[in-house]
Amino acid sequence: MNAYIFPGQGAQFSGMGLDLYEKSPEAQRLFNRANKILGFSITDIMFEGTPEELKQTKVTQPAVFLHSVILSKALGESFKPDMVAGHSLGEFSALVANGVLSFEEGLKLVQKRAMAMQKACELQPSTMAAVLGLEDEIVEAICADVEGVVVAANYNCPGQLVISGEVEAVEKACEELKDKGARRAMVLPVGGAFHSPLMEPARKELADAIEKSTFNKPTCPIYQNVSTFAVTDPAEIKKNLVFQLTAPVKWTQSVQNMIKDGAKTFTEVGPGKVLQGLVKKIDRSAEVKSGEI
């Protein structure tokens, strides 16, 4: 079975999407439509912008989403997923790719998500840190013992977990994790504590927009970050998507369940190859590749 996976924030790069624009008339149409929906020329920044310009919150999330979704459309008849999953932001790309959301509706939700997260970040100093070389249970226990808000946020692959929360609590947790033998516990250059309780204001704002959006029956199951199991019910998909901002991204568990359910090949659709690397660390026998036109 063919699994298609969609990357999240951090996969962006200067020049992203330009090859799609030049090769595919359908891609051109969708990029031009996106500029109108967003109210600014995101293609100028994607194709010619600096890494700093691409890092702007209002740009990054729509840019990664557009690259993934437009690539999936440009793949045409060869795009035949038996199941899909997306890492954090990538879940929105996956939901457009499997027909749950329209291109327009997905892009509007992603734009709303980016702005809501930015606002939540400005309310309280917060951050994230990558922890390497420790078992999940040890990381979870230390986070639970540290004073303040700090939680496990991204279960990326065995031995690689990202924690998220208040700056002081994250820094304190990093010290304790190193003492426990972590190979690395390093604060990341991010604007806030994504996938933590500190995103609650953003969750409330996005929940309203999600509730008002039309969710269709998917063409294939999605393995969502919150539940990790195959989901096909639009109401359940909607509910999981609402909680995604404050809940951890259970990528390891999602990929394990996809393999259990028959996934043999994982095709990453979007910028970069980060997810392919994570899948191989989760299961070395899995075949991985990039979606290319």
Side-chain angles (χ1 to χ4, degrees), residues 9 61 88-89 91-92 109-110 112-118 120-121 128 151-154 164 192-208 210 225-226 238-249:
Q9 201 165 332
Q61 294 195 28
S88 189
L89 163 71
E91 197 161 279
F92 287 82
L109 283 177
V110 165
K112 184 88 174 171
R113 181 184 192 266
M115 295 311 188
M117 287 170 76
Q118 181 61 37
C121 291
M128 302 177 84
V151 296
N154 293 356
S164 181
F194 307 135
H195 302 289
S196 84
L198 298 181
M199 283 292 118
E200 181 59 22
R203 187 196 68 78
K204 283 181 179 166
E205 203 174 319
L206 189 62
D208 189 46
I210 287 172
N225 296 172
V226 171
K238 202 178 255 198
K239 185 186 76 178
N240 289 337
L241 201 59
V242 167
F243 285 108
Q244 193 220 54
L245 275 184
T246 51
V249 173

Side-chain angles (χ1 to χ4, degrees), residues 144-194:
D145 284 345
V146 168
E147 198 175 320
V149 177
V150 56
V151 296
N154 293 356
Y155 294 80
N156 286 332
C157 65
Q160 187 188 125
L161 209 160
V162 175
I163 61 174
S164 181
E166 294 164 344
V167 173
E168 283 185 23
V170 169
E171 288 173 347
K172 175 70 175 152
C174 283
E175 288 170 25
E176 295 196 15
L177 288 161
K178 284 176 190 166
D179 289 343
K180 280 285 184 186
R183 200 163 71 245
R184 195 181 248 182
M186 179 180 64
V187 174
L188 298 169
V190 296
F194 307 135

Side-chain angles (χ1 to χ4, degrees), residues 212-263:
K212 289 174 183 168
S213 301
T214 302
F215 277 52
N216 306 305
K217 191 128 182 82
T219 55
C220 68
I222 179 165
Y223 290 68
Q224 289 181 278
N225 296 172
V226 171
S227 71
T228 79
F229 296 104
V231 184
T232 54
D233 175 34
E236 194 179 342
I237 290 170
K238 202 178 255 198
K239 185 186 76 178
N240 289 337
L241 201 59
V242 167
F243 285 108
Q244 193 220 54
L245 275 184
T246 51
V249 173
K250 295 179 178 173
W251 187 251
T252 302
Q253 298 89 327
S254 297
V255 171
Q256 286 169 340
N257 284 331
M258 293 168 97
I259 291 167
K260 210 181 286 176
D261 292 346

Side-chain angles (χ1 to χ4, degrees), residues 11-23 31 42-55 59 63-64 66-68 270-272:
Q12 69 276 3
F13 63 90
S14 298
M16 63 188 287
L18 181 57
D19 58 333
L20 290 174
Y21 191 88
E22 290 174 343
K23 286 179 187 173
F31 274 124
I42 193 168
T43 49
D44 285 351
I45 306 172
M46 288 174 71
F47 301 166
E48 298 165 13
T50 64
E52 281 307 307
E53 288 172 313
L54 264 175
K55 258 199 224 170
V59 174
V64 173
L66 287 170
H67 190 287
S68 291

